Amino acid sequence: MIKFAVCDDEPLMVRALAAHIENYMKEKQMTAYSVTCFSHGQPLLEADDGFDVIFLDICMEQPDGMETARQLRRRGDRSLLIFVTVLEECVFDAFQVEAYDFLLKPLDSTRFQQTMDRALKRLDQRAARDLVIRRGTGCEVVPLDRIVYGEVLGRKVYLHKNDGTVVDYYSRLEDLERRVDGRFFKCHRSYLVNLDYVRGCQDGQVMLPRGEAIPVSRLRERALAQALLHHMRERGH
């Protein structure tokens, strides 16, 4: 299910955007989607649903589109933000809130379709980089790029995320290691660290951005250094 949100204080634009989305999804023969409409930013911020794609007008009453986007990002929202505006120069501010794209009013059908093509492709790519874990009778999706490190204690794995929160579930570290990608390194029999977040290694400890430190086995220190160098070359650093 792909969840779209449309937020604009112009009723005609809301209807136009919703119609564009529905026409696009019908053309692609995709039925697993929903479109939720909002007339300004506050109801969007108060919505319980996590949206995949948000079409957001910039020029609204406070909180305007930019402030709404800032608040969404501050609480860790990962929606693809697509700004809709009449002012092209406003687009430069969009980089501050990691906007995915922007559309100018009035809407251009070809441009809209191109944006949707790219957005759905990004969602597919993102899904491939997520970890789905079972918790009780339900499940939770944890993006790999949010995991700083994983550790095993007893029968549980604890995923420490970059916002300081921790997700725990019943599993083994070996199972986690099989499900993540090459940016993760097993620095200790009980720890798996995301190399994106490693800030150094000293005195048998891996240093992390929030001041945390986790152990690295003496026999793994050299391999960790080599893995870091390779990782930096892969990322073009």
Side-chain angles (χ1 to χ4, degrees), residues 7-64:
C7 184
D8 197 303
D9 59 1
E10 300 177 39
L12 286 175
M13 181 54 63
V14 170
R15 289 196 290 271
L17 279 165
H20 272 73
I21 294 170
E22 289 164 6
N23 290 339
Y24 176 92
M25 299 298 279
K26 184 178 180 180
E27 182 180 321
K28 298 294 182 181
Q29 299 182 334
M30 300 176 69
T31 58
Y33 74 95
S34 64
V35 182
T36 307
C37 299
F38 302 92
S39 58
H40 53 92
Q42 195 58 41
L44 172 59
L45 291 170
E46 294 171 357
D48 292 331
D49 283 348
F51 296 103
D52 298 295
V53 183
I54 300 176
F55 291 89
L56 187 58
D57 182 24
I58 291 180
C59 300
M60 298 186 292
E61 293 183 5
Q62 291 296 326
D64 63 12

Side-chain angles (χ1 to χ4, degrees), residues 203-214:
D203 301 326
Q205 300 284 309
V206 178
M207 314 309 295
L208 301 170
R210 297 170 65 91
E212 301 161 292
I214 61 174

